[in-house]
Amino acid sequence: MESLDLWVMWVAIALVCAIAEMITAGFFIMCFSVGALVALPFSFFDVPAVWQWVIFAVASTVAVFLVRPFAVRYLRNKRTKETVSNADAILGKICTVSEAIPEKGYGRVKLGGDDWKAVSADGCALAEGERVRIVARESLIVTVEVAQ
């Protein structure tokens, strides 16, 4: 493969690694995606393939040791030390009741730009505008309690 054609391979490696990282939660595979993106520009400057692979290896290693610790620390739940992602990241967040929650019924809460169907943790009614904390999530329904 000519060095000018290697750009396609670097893009493919970056995409495959980024997609694989979405399935895992350790921010390890993403470091190889970073390495591929660093090696990509060198393919346009007629750098020999062997040197592009060296650049990829060095950049991936640097990403594993320098970037990954910061990313993992940022993505960890401070209380449980678990990696939170997707919808589980809302647990413990303070939000506002946007549609009153009747006693043992459903209402809605607003968190950022998202609106969630909600139920009270203790079954009591919550008024619109009240500040609540999300304590659990089951599918698209969150359980809330009055924020302290």
Side-chain angles (χ1 to χ4, degrees):
M1 186 180 279
E2 290 183 33
S3 62
L4 286 178
D5 294 334
L6 286 175
W7 73 270
V8 175
M9 181 191 65
W10 294 125
V11 170
I13 289 172
L15 288 174
V16 167
C17 289
I19 291 168
E21 182 61 40
M22 290 179 203
I23 297 168
T24 65
F27 202 76
F28 182 75
I29 300 172
M30 184 59 80
C31 295
F32 295 105
S33 185
V34 169
L37 291 175
V38 170
L40 174 65
F42 292 94
S43 66
F44 295 116
F45 295 108
D46 217 13
V47 174
V50 70
W51 283 107
Q52 290 181 45
W53 281 103
V54 169
I55 292 166
F56 167 73
V58 169
S60 296
T61 303
V62 167
V64 166
F65 289 108
L66 295 181
V67 177
R68 185 177 180 271
F70 292 109
V72 169
R73 192 174 318 130
Y74 177 75
L75 296 173
R76 296 259 183 217
N77 183 318
K78 305 290 188 271
R79 289 177 293 199
T80 64
K81 303 295 184 207
E82 294 177 359
T83 301
V84 292
S85 61
N86 302 328
D88 288 335
I90 68 169
L91 297 178
K93 300 283 185 184
I94 303 293
C95 56
T96 306
V97 176
S98 59
E99 180 183 305
I101 301 172
E103 187 175 325
K104 297 184 181 173
Y106 295 98
R108 300 197 77 76
V109 295
K110 189 147 189 100
L111 177 64
D114 296 326
D115 197 56
W116 292 81
K117 186 173 184 179
V119 63
S120 173
D122 58 6
C124 66
L126 297 170
E128 184 175 334
E130 198 163 352
R131 290 176 44 87
V132 293
R133 174 179 282 104
I134 298 174
V135 294
R137 180 190 65 81
E138 186 172 327
S139 187
L140 297 175
I141 302 172
V142 295
T143 304
V144 296
E145 66 183 12
V146 176
Q148 306 295 344

